[in-house]
Amino acid sequence: MTKRRSRGDGGLHWDEKRQRWIATASLGYDPSGKRIVKRASGKTKTAAKAKLKEVLRDFEDGLAIAPTGYTVRDAVTDWLAYGLSGRDKSTVETNTILCNTHVIPSLGARKLRDLSADDVDRWLADKSKVLSTRSLEAIRSCLNRAVKRAMARDKVKRNVVELCSVPAGRPGRPSKSLTLNQADAVLVAAEDSPLYAYIVVSLLTGGRTEEMRPLRWDHVDLDGNPTAVPEIPPHIAVWRSVRSSGDTKTRKSRRTLALPGRAVDALKIQRERQGWQRVAAGDQWQECGLVFTSAVGTELDAANVRREFRKVLAGAAQIPGVDLTPHEWTTRETRTSFVSILSDRGIPLEEISRLVGHSSTAVTEEVYRKQIRPVIQTGATAMDGIFGTPVPPER
């Protein structure tokens, strides 16, 4: 006689209609008082019993409500729908594109509970053939956060993505900086551009493009206060960015920068040009108080800024002795050029770090390593001042 299953071990019966063995487990009650029943099936009695054991084991591990058919696609889709609440629209769009392009097509059909570290390693290794290391970090982060969210909701026992490291990907586009000759040519070529003041201020202050676009006139002082003690020069207050919160990238990114004379002149020209734009736009003008705007007063779009910047570079490339390939450059490289030019003039790394708003000199050195002057001359210069430069002996 078949031994009766103990209470709590679930039930097992043959379904004539489905021609399968059905395993059933009662796992208590939900908050509404409804009984929670989990079912699994198999072609054989042994297969059904194995699935029943898995259901009971999951219940003991706290995964009683986890659906057995919950896939990586489901986890990623749920994270995109609910896990990015309050994030900037562009952040949501970027993560959605990464997931739909790289995560879901490769791993989406895999059941989340069956996803292994080996699966993730193979996926990352395959993607490393076509993506840069930074892009690999981004897609791994998307998957990691999606699985972590699912784990917090009892959909999976552990997050295997955290066990996997990111392999080296294809080399990314190297960051570049303009030479002094190239930078001077760009400033000349920009004089007839609607972005003249934008390019001048970006190149001569090292501001990030996301800090320049939301710059307001009430954060610009073109006169300063010569009678103050100490004297207050013309300056801009870099206190905002295009981030959803409006905050700058880091605490030290919030800074007030003195303006070089050329930048002051460019901003005066910009104020006059904007006045004529306001007249030309008439009722279509949208007053936002921004320094750099479109023809109707709205904030500049990053893609439009990049396109116009490359037009300026194309003009600079026509100047004799200037070698530039416009499509290889982006507006963020006015910032690397600022660092490079200052470093070539012997400005200390600590001062450059303060000017560009980095949290530490380590960030400046890591991000702009190729732009930082490799020869440290401070000691040699000081010693020459102390002991003098030796006169070469006569021959």
Side-chain angles (χ1 to χ4, degrees):
M1 184 175 179
T2 304
K3 182 181 177 181
R4 182 182 179 87
R5 301 181 66 81
S6 302
R7 183 179 296 276
D9 285 348
L12 193 66
H13 68 276
W14 172 256
D15 190 316
E16 189 68 33
K17 184 176 181 180
R18 295 178 59 188
Q19 290 293 298
R20 296 178 69 88
W21 284 92
I22 307 298
T24 307
S26 179
L27 306 178
Y29 300 87
D30 65 15
S32 65
K34 184 178 179 181
R35 184 183 293 274
I36 300 174
V37 179
K38 299 293 291 185
R39 292 181 176 83
S41 66
K43 291 183 179 180
T44 65
K45 190 174 185 179
T46 301
K49 286 173 67 176
K51 290 187 176 180
L52 177 60
K53 288 180 180 178
E54 187 175 352
V55 169
L56 294 173
R57 185 177 66 248
D58 285 350
F59 172 65
E60 293 173 359
D61 290 342
L63 302 178
I65 60 173
T68 57
Y70 195 78
T71 63
V72 173
R73 177 192 296 272
D74 296 328
V76 171
T77 302
D78 287 346
W79 173 67
L80 290 174
Y82 308 109
L84 295 175
S85 177
R87 299 297 181 90
D88 186 73
K89 180 181 178 182
S90 61
T91 300
V92 176
E93 290 176 351
T94 299
N95 283 286
T96 301
I97 291 171
L98 289 173
C99 290
N100 290 337
T101 306
H102 300 291
V103 182
I104 293 176
S106 301
L107 299 173
R110 187 77 164 165
K111 288 184 178 180
L112 186 60
R113 64 196 302 166
D114 295 334
L115 183 69
S116 67
D118 287 339
D119 293 331
V120 179
D121 282 337
R122 283 191 291 269
W123 169 63
L124 289 172
D126 184 57
K127 289 296 179 181
S128 68
K129 301 173 184 176
V130 294
L131 297 178
S132 67
T133 303
R134 185 169 182 177
S135 296
L136 289 173
E137 291 171 349
I139 62 174
R140 178 195 175 277
S141 175
C142 289
L143 180 61
N144 182 44
R145 286 183 284 175
V147 177
K148 186 180 292 186
R149 184 181 185 277
M151 187 173 69
R153 285 153 181 79
D154 294 333
K155 303 294 177 66
V156 68
K157 295 179 182 178
R158 62 174 183 163
N159 183 4
V160 297
V161 185
E162 290 186 333
L163 306 176
C164 304
S165 57
V166 177
R170 294 181 61 185
R173 188 180 70 83
S175 180
K176 304 182 296 299
S177 63
L178 298 165
T179 64
L180 182 58
N181 182 48
Q182 290 172 330
D184 193 49
V186 168
L187 292 175
V188 171
E191 289 178 355
D192 295 326
S193 168
L195 288 184
Y196 172 60
Y198 182 98
I199 292 172
V200 171
V201 176
S202 297
L203 186 57
L204 272 57
T205 66
R208 299 178 178 90
T209 180
E210 63 265 28
E211 295 169 342
M212 292 295 102
R213 284 185 280 131
L215 183 64
R216 299 177 60 86
W217 282 115
D218 55 10
H219 288 168
V220 175
D221 184 346
L222 298 181
D223 301 315
N225 187 353
T227 62
V229 180
E231 178 183 347
I232 299 175
H235 59 271
I236 58 172
V238 183
W239 293 352
R240 302 175 66 242
S241 76
V242 294
R243 295 167 178 266
S244 57
S245 64
D247 294 330
T248 52
K249 188 174 182 179
T250 67
R251 182 177 58 82
K252 287 192 176 181
S253 293
R254 189 181 173 94
R255 60 205 187 279
T256 301
L257 300 172
L259 289 170
R262 195 164 186 171
V264 173
D265 292 340
L267 286 170
K268 288 179 179 178
I269 292 173
Q270 172 65 12
R271 188 161 56 187
E272 183 179 347
R273 285 181 176 177
Q274 195 174 84
W276 288 110
Q277 285 180 325
R278 188 180 290 105
V279 172
D283 294 339
Q284 293 183 326
W285 181 264
Q286 301 179 41
E287 186 56 61
C288 300
L290 297 174
V291 176
F292 309 113
T293 66
S294 67
V296 293
T298 56
E299 185 175 305
L300 292 172
D301 178 75
N304 291 337
V305 170
R306 185 167 55 250
R307 190 180 305 114
E308 184 61 30
F309 179 64
R310 287 174 176 169
K311 288 181 182 179
V312 171
L313 291 177
Q318 303 302 314
I319 298 176
V322 178
D323 182 21
L324 282 172
T325 306
H327 72 271
E328 295 180 351
W329 295 79
T330 65
T331 46
R332 70 181 176 86
E333 282 156 341
T334 57
R335 180 171 167 85
T336 59
S337 300
F338 172 82
V339 171
S340 177
I341 292 170
L342 287 184
S343 181
D344 283 343
R345 287 302 177 97
I347 304 300
L349 180 62
E350 292 78 9
E351 188 63 21
I352 295 175
S353 179
R354 287 180 58 233
L355 289 169
V356 295
H358 282 158
S359 57
S360 69
T361 56
V363 176
T364 312
E365 194 167 16
E366 179 182 355
V367 176
Y368 298 104
R369 185 176 295 115
K370 294 180 181 179
Q371 282 72 39
I372 297 297
R373 190 176 195 165
V375 180
I376 302 175
Q377 299 185 355
T378 310
T381 303
M383 290 300 105
D384 282 342
I386 295 170
F387 295 104
T389 303
V391 179
E394 295 182 2
R395 295 184 178 182

